[in-house]
Amino acid sequence: MGEVRVTGAKNSVLKLMAASLLAEGTTTLREVPDILDVEYMSELLRRLGCEVIRDTDAGSVAITVPGVPSHKADYDLVRKLRASINVLGPLLARCGQADVALPGGDNIGSRGLDMHVAGLEKLGATVRSEHGFLIATRSERLRGAMVWLDFPSVGATENLLMAAVLAQGTTVIDNAAREPEIVDICAMLTSMGARISGVGTSTLEIEGVDLLSPTDHTTVPDRLVAGTWAVAAVMTQGDVTVGNARMEHLEIALDKLTLAGAIVEAAGDGFRVRCEDRPRSVDVVTLPYPGFPTDLQPQFIALNSIAHGAAMVTENLFEARFRFVNEMVRLGADVRTDGHHAMVRGKATLSGAPVEAADIRAGAGLVLAGLVAEGVTTVYEPHHVDRGYEGFVEDLVRLGADVSRIAVAP
Ligand code: EPU
């Protein structure tokens, strides 16, 4: 039995940091997780001319944005952090030009930018790709427009929001993403003076304003970290209370854990998950919010691999996310993939082995599998996990797990 506390969401705070570019002056963000991606985004903002002061004890970051930020985001940083693409919209709106190196980030598929580009073009921008950069320019102020997204892309919705808040006239984003992180950025933009309606629905209407002001904003809690702890509790037949977590942001995932045999209930400012028996397997299908999150898919494959029965896991967002299955097989899991489906047949035990994390969530899934595997599991490339989970090893140890970080010769 133990307790962990979740901080602000990685997938929100990185965009909130980009949104600070929209107003001259000092914006303060709170509940900022102490993770590598925040460091990368801080460095990117510094290169754009901002002063970024992080207080990791207080969990805050103060970003002072100059009157005219520079507009070039170079490959050496952008390749480490796909969320760098989120400076495209605000820089274009503020500076009239944004040169952003094409991003890398996770090894989870091709991850196109077509909807970002088409949407910005609808607002009057000219976008071209040159020497590995995406270069967006505008000859006059962006103009509000009707934008239909082919798919409710989180990143495209955010970029378009940040461009549209300073455009002339009204922009409507239809088939917009509805993730809690989108609601969070809308709340921050609104507190800066933006006018946005339809927040939390798939139709966002933005009435452009001339100027935004800096703000002080507290980041929404990380539902994916909270969800990871919930799965860990069930896999280890443990009892974990997760603080600063919103159950309403994890409805399907927590319902799946209940179907697996867990007891999930509200507790304090979060929830408590406990499981007394070996869990039962559960089918999951990833979809945009409020569907089951792709960012909890590897953790649920890990859960199903030690559960009673067989389950089908369907991945609809990132085709390469099943690469991690090969690592699960090294731990003795019985998982077969066919296209975007994985059939997982639960086994009573897994067997510890060296494995490699290819992205943040795969890393988390492998650590969870390692907790229940017999013998020692070594997860290589743990920096992927550090990109998204603050103090993961320390929290696991506090909860009673036998985990340590080891230095490995290069
Ligand atoms: N897509 C396109 N064209 C576009 C935009 C997206 O084809 O213009 C495709 C992508 O290739 C992908 C799908 O649409 O297949 C979903 O992409 P989306 O834009 O929604 O995702 P994202 O903004 O790139 C964010 C998170 C991911 C999370 C997804 C889905 C951040 C920094 N990243 O990515 O988080 O999985 O939304 O919820 O916010 C993670 O945290 O581990 C992670 C990968």
Side-chain angles (χ1 to χ4, degrees):
M1 186 164 165
E3 285 178 27
V4 280
R5 184 180 183 280
V6 169
T7 58
K10 166 186 86 81
N11 288 349
S12 196
V13 78
L14 300 172
K15 329 308 174 57
L16 305 181
M17 292 174 79
S20 70
L21 288 166
L22 288 163
E24 182 179 354
T26 304
T27 283
T28 303
L29 299 173
R30 301 184 191 279
E31 287 290 349
V32 176
D34 187 9
I35 53 174
L36 266 181
D37 275 11
V38 167
E39 194 43 48
Y40 295 146
M41 185 55 108
S42 301
E43 194 47 39
L44 176 56
L45 292 179
R46 286 186 192 111
R47 299 256 193 105
L48 295 172
C50 304
E51 183 186 62
V52 182
I53 299 176
R54 285 180 68 193
D55 181 340
T56 45
D57 291 335
S60 66
V61 58
I63 304 161
T64 304
V65 180
V68 186
S70 70
H71 61 262
K72 194 167 181 194
D74 284 316
Y75 183 59
D76 64 326
L77 271 173
V78 171
R79 76 188 179 89
K80 295 182 184 157
L81 180 68
R82 181 182 161 86
S84 316
I85 196 66
N86 279 96
V87 301
L88 189 67
L91 287 181
L92 176 67
R94 274 298 301 289
C95 314
Q97 176 159 355
D99 301 9
V100 181
L102 289 162
D106 291 317
N107 304 315
I108 54 174
S110 58
R111 305 184 76 173
L113 294 172
D114 51 312
M115 287 180 264
H116 299 242
V117 172
L120 293 175
E121 285 175 341
K122 274 262 172 77
L123 298 183
T126 304
V127 188
R128 63 183 199 279
S129 161
E130 217 172 80
H131 304 300
F133 277 84
L134 205 58
I135 301 176
T137 54
R138 59 173 170 84
S139 50
E140 51 187 28
R141 190 170 164 193
L142 294 172
R143 289 181 313 275
M146 180 77 210
V147 182
W148 291 270
L149 296 180
D150 292 344
F151 176 89
S153 155
V154 172
T157 302
E158 290 160 341
N159 249 331
L160 293 172
L161 263 169
M162 289 188 277
V165 286
L166 285 177
Q168 185 161 26
T170 303
T171 299
V172 176
I173 308 175
D174 207 1
N175 201 20
R178 289 183 281 161
E179 271 69 3
E181 294 76 25
I182 301 281
V183 174
D184 199 28
I185 195 172
C186 286
M188 169 166 161
L189 292 169
T190 303
S191 76
M192 294 170 83
R195 303 174 75 169
I196 307 170
S197 58
V199 176
T201 75
S202 51
T203 306
L204 293 169
E205 191 168 316
I206 305 114
E207 204 184 307
V209 296
D210 294 340
L211 195 70
L212 294 171
S213 330
T215 191
D216 188 319
H217 179 85
T218 300
T219 316
V220 69
D222 198 315
R223 65 195 161 99
L224 304 167
V225 173
T228 301
W229 289 123
V231 177
V234 177
M235 285 180 70
T236 56
Q237 296 177 36
D239 182 345
V240 177
T241 299
V242 187
N244 191 34
R246 306 228 179 124
M247 287 177 87
E248 69 272 24
H249 292 167
L250 277 168
E251 271 172 355
I252 294 191
L254 294 179
D255 187 52
K256 292 285 177 191
L257 293 179
T258 306
L259 288 173
I263 299 161
V264 182
E265 59 199 4
D269 63 351
F271 55 82
R272 176 178 176 195
V273 180
R274 57 190 198 275
C275 191
E276 280 160 14
D277 298 309
R278 183 178 167 198
R280 293 184 291 274
S281 57
V282 280
D283 293 338
V284 299
V285 179
T286 69
L287 280 173
Y289 190 84
F292 185 91
T294 174
D295 294 329
L296 289 178
Q297 179 260 97
Q299 298 88 320
F300 270 73
I301 288 196
L303 167 73
N304 281 323
S305 69
I306 50 112
H308 265 299
M312 180 77 89
V313 175
T314 303
E315 173 57 56
N316 288 317
L317 277 90
F318 295 117
E319 70 268 24
R321 247 191 172 149
F322 281 155
R323 277 189 205 149
F324 122 103
V325 162
N326 294 332
E327 304 302 298
M328 286 298 299
V329 170
R330 288 182 50 72
L331 297 176
D334 182 352
V335 192
R336 279 180 216 189
T337 57
D338 184 2
H340 59 129
H341 302 291
M343 171 61 78
V344 190
R345 292 184 176 85
K347 291 171 80 168
T349 53
L350 296 175
S351 108
V355 287
E356 188 170 312
D359 71 75
I360 305 175
R361 311 301 165 187
L366 290 169
V367 172
L368 299 196
L371 293 180
V372 293
E374 280 177 359
V376 177
T377 297
T378 308
V379 180
Y380 286 86
E381 308 295 342
H383 62 93
H384 284 295
V385 182
D386 296 334
R387 289 188 42 211
Y389 291 82
E390 173 179 325
F392 199 40
V393 171
E394 293 75 8
D395 280 343
L396 282 165
V397 169
R398 279 198 306 106
L399 289 173
D402 183 359
V403 184
S404 57
R405 186 180 289 269
I406 49 172
V408 177

